[in-house]
Amino acid sequence: MRILITAALPYVNNVPHIGNIVGSHLPADIFARFCRLLGYETLFIGGSDEHGTPIEVTARKLGIPPKKLCDVFYEIHKEIYDWFNFSYDNFSRTSREIHHQTTKEFFLKMYENGYIIEGELNLPYCENDKMFLPDRYVYGTCPKCGYELARGDQCEKCGTLLNPEDLINIKCTICNEKPIFKKVKHLFFDLSKLQKKLEEWIMSKKDIWYEHVLNLSLSIIKQGLKPRCISRDLKWGVKIPIKGYENKVFYVWFDAPIGYISSTREYFKKQNKEKDWEKFWKDKETRIYHFIGKDNIPFHTIFWPAMLLANGEYCLPYFVVGLNYLNYEGDKISKTRQWGIFCENLPKSGLDSDIWRYYLIHLIPETSDTEWKWKEFKERVNNELVANIGNFIYRTLSFLKRYFNGIVPEYELKVSDKEFLEEFKQKVNEYKKLMLKLRIRDSLRKVLEISYLCNKYFQENEPWKLIEKDRKRAETVIYICINLCFYLAILLEPFLPNTSKKLERILNKRIKSLEQIYQFNIKPGDKIGEPEILFPKIDDKKIEEIRKIVTKPLNFEELFYIDVNDLMKLNLRLCKIVEAKRLDTNRVLIKVKVDENIKEVVLNTKDDEKKLIGKYGVCTEDGLLTVGDKIITVDRNIEENARVR
RNA sequence: GCCGGGGUAGCUUAGCUGGUUAGAGCGCCGCGCUCAUAACGCGGAGGUCGUGGGUUCAAAUCCCACCCCCGGCACCA
């Protein structure tokens, strides 16, 4: 069996939170590790998604090139994934040459095959920022309800779906100037021709995919597929390789999934086996698994397979593993509201990444949204990891050390032992089946059941009593238990790689495959290492400590150094706030006087807007007067429009 | 508004192609044990399966209506 596993390419304009971890990297890693244990030819591929408007805009706001922004975040992401022990065989970047090349080749094939058509769009263009604005990057008054901050795609207040043309008094989100509309040519991917094929393909996944993934995909396809625009007027991205489109790039969603292919190619290039990547993408024997969040489902069950079909040379995904969302203590995770757990500080928590992995596995949102709860985190770690799994291993190791000085004794199996081992084997089979169906949470629960059986075996056989009256029998019991410890180490490997490594060291035995489970690998006479506590018990005080560390998101703007001399080049001025009007609970519309002109700015603040009137704020010529979300004000008497130095 | 998912013991939930006493984990109560991070094992209490109606010999499971929660509605990554 050959398996290709991909996790959603993280968009690197921010730092990942636990929702991002649980929604793709973690389940993908577990499955990859499991496949390797089964001896499958496995490749686990990932990378960062670096194109698109948000990155270009964020970079512009920070005054740095997009590449620089991505460089910094790529490293942060990579460090976090390494800390979690995600076993990527290759973690690439869509800004790399190999990706650009792969994307162009991929597209040209689709083009040759007649799936690309030309069309014209009437789009808002900001003359100030010199760019076309996606629907989300314009705002204005909703024609239906009069809400002043309706976005170009939808009014948040009344829910009406909008087009940018519908907005009254349209403004650019970046600079607040009024954009103009321009007619421009664009490329469209004509999905309509593939509707039937896609529908059949999705139907064929009826007994394989998660139910919600299937439902969503079918409901979208039944609405009918229309041509979709795949070009954008941006500078940052993969250039479109046909005449007349030299100044355009591909829509980020077009190039991003191709990143899976380019990352695979990059992997084999590094191995000096350049051609071998094709067997993972073009050989029907390969099963491709995409692990993604639910926001990505339509792209991976419709748009992406349609691209593959239009290209014609590739296999379709076998399993699109669409995960739901993880919430945090009763609400959605939100960086701006500082609500959630943010990964950059996890290493500082002092807890082994296995502990975090353990609870997060329980939260993999396979069937529905799930929720992080600190109380449950503590209980699961203490009751399950510590008291169930950790306890069995530790009591066995301690017993062996105390009564046998760490030397594995001889054994003689009784019928009851064989029956017990049979039951154990049964459970292992169930574990394997669940894992293959991508019921990862349930398979971890199965390991817990197994370790409960082990505790029960230990308890019922009472080796601490046998050691006095029937030493031979005690030897057999402990011989079985020490082998069970190794079996547990194998079963846990996909979930808790650090723990399994530790056990390999203590038991002095290498984990190679799931098959080892029936082989009594640890032999009489083997010397076992010192007993070690595998998992620490966590109390409320510790929880409080950790919570403080990991719930504070990094203010990434501080990462980007701004040269004072560059700052001085800006024409910064102190301007009087002449008017402030509250738009909603978070935002205030402010009018400032710059020289003789009135400029409007939207400020994110919950403070009393009336107090702002009459104050002086730091402005650029354009009227921006915010640094991050904060307004800089001066109370002293000051000359209007004074230059800031 | 439309579409999808869900409302089951104190909490988290399985079951939902209709059919034995609705399963499980945590928590709670009692007993046993001491090798083990007061960890382990055994036993127990606890549910009119959102509300109302219908189909059926039989419904948590199918149908209808209603109430409540969550998500999606596409050029947003």
Side-chain angles (χ1 to χ4, degrees):
Chain A
M1 183 73 75
R2 191 184 305 114
I3 307 270
L4 177 67
I5 295 161
T6 75
L9 306 186
Y11 199 64
V12 284
N13 71 339
N14 221 322
V15 162
H17 54 66
I18 45 169
N20 306 131
I21 298 299
V22 107
S24 68
H25 309 279
L26 178 61
D29 177 62
I30 292 166
F31 190 62
R33 288 171 178 277
F34 177 71
C35 288
R36 293 187 194 114
L37 270 184
L38 286 182
Y40 293 168
E41 185 183 358
T42 306
L43 194 64
F44 178 26
I45 285 298
S48 55
D49 175 13
E50 308 196 353
H51 298 133
T53 316
I55 283 180
E56 195 168 310
V57 170
T58 308
R60 183 185 296 223
K61 276 185 183 161
L62 293 167
I64 55 171
K67 180 68 169 48
K68 165 94 183 167
L69 179 83
C70 296
D71 286 349
V72 171
F73 278 118
Y74 176 82
E75 287 306 322
I76 295 175
H77 276 250
K78 200 151 183 317
E79 261 173 46
I80 291 168
Y81 304 145
D82 287 345
W83 180 77
F84 267 110
N85 284 311
F86 296 150
S87 57
Y88 281 109
D89 292 300
N90 194 44
F91 195 79
S92 187
R93 309 176 57 168
T94 59
S95 57
R96 288 186 181 151
E97 177 51 33
I98 192 161
H99 175 70
H100 285 237
Q101 188 195 331
T102 307
T103 304
K104 287 172 189 171
E105 285 169 19
F106 192 99
F107 164 79
L108 286 172
K109 195 88 207 227
M110 288 171 72
Y111 188 71
E112 279 167 28
N113 291 344
Y115 285 95
I116 305 298
I117 53 179
E118 226 172 22
E120 202 175 55
L121 291 173
N122 194 25
L123 295 173
Y125 178 82
C126 177
E127 290 176 302
N128 186 40
D129 293 312
K130 298 188 176 46
M131 66 184 282
F132 283 92
L133 301 166
D135 292 3
R136 284 228 174 162
Y137 282 82
V138 293
Y139 71 96
T141 306
C142 171
K144 201 154 184 181
C145 70
Y147 178 58
E148 290 178 38
L149 282 176
R151 278 195 321 228
D153 54 347
Q154 186 174 24
C155 172
E156 283 174 346
K157 202 130 194 179
C158 66
T160 312
L161 296 176
L162 300 167
N163 286 316
E165 294 98 314
D166 304 333
L167 292 171
I168 300 161
N169 193 19
I170 185 168
K171 293 261 175 80
C172 164
T173 321
I174 303 164
C175 69
N176 297 305
E177 290 294 327
K178 185 181 170 141
I180 57 164
F181 280 88
K182 272 194 184 178
K183 283 214 161 84
V184 266
K185 272 190 179 177
H186 272 286
L187 293 177
F188 290 77
F189 172 26
D190 188 6
L191 293 115
S192 56
K193 294 178 195 161
L194 296 161
Q195 167 129 6
K196 197 151 174 270
K197 261 192 181 167
L198 284 170
E199 192 169 349
E200 279 166 15
W201 172 70
I202 293 168
M203 285 305 286
S204 76
K205 300 299 182 184
K206 211 165 185 252
D207 298 319
I208 305 171
W209 293 2
Y210 294 148
E211 206 182 318
H212 68 274
V213 176
L214 209 72
N215 286 341
L216 180 62
S217 308
L218 285 173
S219 84
I220 289 171
I221 212 153
K222 278 181 182 147
Q223 287 166 38
L225 300 177
K226 285 179 290 203
R228 191 168 173 134
C229 183
I230 57 161
S231 52
R232 290 291 183 276
D233 286 288
L234 293 169
K235 290 177 202 76
W236 177 241
V238 180
K239 295 261 180 281
I240 295 178
I242 55 171
K243 249 182 114 181
Y245 290 87
E246 292 83 358
N247 294 322
K248 293 190 193 328
V249 299
F250 285 112
Y251 173 35
V252 59
W253 253 112
F254 183 83
D255 85 77
I258 298 174
Y260 300 141
I261 301 174
S262 48
S263 185
T264 311
R265 284 180 76 171
E266 188 181 66
Y267 171 80
F268 282 105
K269 208 170 172 182
K270 283 182 196 162
Q271 312 281 311
N272 281 323
K273 289 186 266 179
E274 221 162 313
K275 265 301 200 182
D276 279 19
W277 71 272
E278 292 195 341
K279 66 182 180 186
F280 276 92
W281 283 98
K282 300 185 177 178
D283 181 345
K284 293 237 172 344
E285 296 304 304
T286 302
R287 286 186 172 180
I288 300 173
Y289 289 73
H290 294 307
F291 287 78
I292 50 160
K294 68 173 159 189
D295 49 341
N296 269 337
I297 291 171
F299 284 97
H300 282 80
T301 60
I302 294 167
F303 194 70
W304 169 234
M307 284 168 65
L308 293 166
L309 283 171
N311 176 289
E313 291 182 353
Y314 290 83
C315 301
L316 292 180
Y318 173 75
F319 202 142
V320 178
V321 191
L323 285 319
N324 291 292
Y325 285 153
L326 172 65
N327 294 319
Y328 175 80
E329 295 286 356
D331 209 341
K332 282 187 209 173
I333 297 175
S334 156
K335 203 202 142 188
T336 44
R337 294 198 336 269
Q338 307 216 355
W339 192 252
I341 294 177
F342 305 94
C343 300
E344 69 274 13
N345 288 326
L346 287 181
K348 290 187 207 146
S349 70
L351 291 182
D352 191 292
S353 57
D354 276 7
I355 309 277
W356 293 98
R357 283 176 68 117
Y358 182 78
Y359 180 48
L360 287 173
I361 293 164
H362 285 284
L363 299 179
I364 294 173
E366 290 167 355
T367 49
S368 59
D369 290 352
T370 56
E371 191 171 317
W372 175 285
K373 287 180 184 158
W374 283 104
K375 186 168 172 279
E376 197 191 12
F377 173 67
K378 186 189 115 183
E379 284 172 359
R380 290 217 183 268
V381 171
N382 290 344
N383 297 334
E384 298 175 0
L385 259 190
V386 174
N388 191 341
I389 298 172
N391 179 244
F392 172 72
I393 293 170
Y394 190 62
R395 75 198 289 201
T396 301
L397 293 174
S398 302
F399 197 91
L400 192 67
K401 173 78 189 169
R402 180 157 151 192
Y403 295 103
F404 298 93
N405 199 27
I407 308 289
V408 178
E410 295 289 335
Y411 68 102
E412 196 177 314
L413 298 185
K414 282 205 326 196
V415 176
S416 65
D417 297 327
K418 288 181 180 157
E419 279 169 3
F420 162 72
L421 288 165
E422 203 43 55
E423 196 181 353
F424 186 96
K425 225 164 147 175
Q426 195 73 41
K427 294 268 183 206
V428 171
N429 270 334
E430 289 166 23
Y431 155 94
K432 192 171 152 185
K433 272 190 199 151
L434 287 166
M435 199 68 117
L436 287 171
K437 284 201 301 196
L438 266 315
R439 296 296 175 150
I440 295 173
R441 285 185 302 171
D442 289 341
S443 65
L444 180 56
R445 289 234 70 84
K446 203 49 81 176
V447 176
L448 233 42
E449 274 178 42
I450 288 170
S451 120
Y452 156 78
L453 276 185
C454 294
N455 268 314
K456 189 178 153 117
Y457 177 81
F458 199 112
Q459 192 70 27
E460 285 175 351
N461 281 288
E462 303 181 308
W464 60 90
K465 283 183 185 166
L466 290 172
I467 200 76
E468 304 297 333
K469 45 188 199 201
D470 184 355
R471 191 171 170 96
K472 210 146 173 94
R473 180 63 196 148
E475 286 178 355
T476 298
V477 170
I478 212 64
Y479 173 79
I480 290 175
C481 285
I482 196 70
N483 273 284
L484 292 175
C485 288
F486 184 62
Y487 299 165
L488 280 172
I490 298 169
L491 294 172
L492 287 173
E493 201 280 337
F495 305 112
L496 311 175
N498 282 343
T499 304
S500 290
K501 265 205 202 86
K502 207 185 266 181
L503 284 170
E504 278 186 316
R505 202 190 66 233
I506 296 171
L507 300 173
N508 196 20
K509 200 96 229 163
R510 284 294 302 274
I511 293 170
K512 291 183 192 124
S513 98
L514 206 62
E515 289 302 303
Q516 287 172 299
I517 281 183
Y518 313 114
Q519 298 171 353
F520 288 105
N521 312 272
I522 298 178
K523 308 286 186 208
D526 285 358
K527 172 98 176 125
I528 299 303
E530 287 300 306
E532 249 177 70
I533 297 240
L534 293 176
F535 313 105
K537 207 165 172 176
I538 305 178
D539 58 22
D540 288 328
K541 208 179 130 218
K542 180 81 186 159
I543 289 280
E544 232 4 83
E545 247 176 75
I546 298 168
R547 187 214 291 257
K548 279 199 189 111
I549 296 169
V550 299
T551 53
K552 203 173 171 276
L554 174 81
N555 184 5
F556 68 77
E557 278 139 11
E558 288 166 10
L559 290 172
F560 299 94
Y561 172 69
I562 298 170
D563 192 277
V564 174
N565 292 322
D566 289 342
L567 200 63
M568 292 315 290
K569 285 181 203 150
L570 290 171
N571 185 6
L572 293 176
R573 312 276 286 275
L574 280 171
C575 302
K576 193 173 191 175
I577 299 170
V578 293
E579 214 180 304
K581 186 181 162 200
R582 178 149 297 279
L583 295 167
D584 56 34
T585 42
N586 294 318
R587 304 204 263 188
V588 175
L589 182 77
I590 287 171
K591 292 186 179 169
V592 289
K593 208 171 157 200
V594 184
D595 296 331
E596 291 311 306
N597 304 316
I598 299 288
K599 299 280 181 184
E600 289 184 1
V601 188
V602 174
L603 180 71
N604 290 315
T605 179
K606 290 184 177 170
D607 298 342
D608 185 1
E609 67 275 12
K610 289 185 190 76
K611 284 188 185 160
L612 293 169
I613 299 171
K615 286 197 175 175
Y616 288 87
V618 178
C619 311
T620 68
E621 286 164 325
D622 302 331
L624 287 167
L625 77 168
T626 58
V627 174
D629 291 346
K630 302 253 168 19
I631 179 169
I632 301 175
T633 58
V634 183
D635 290 324
R636 282 184 299 150
N637 279 338
I638 210 138
E639 186 191 333
E640 253 177 58
N641 295 318
R643 185 87 202 266
V644 178
R645 286 176 203 281

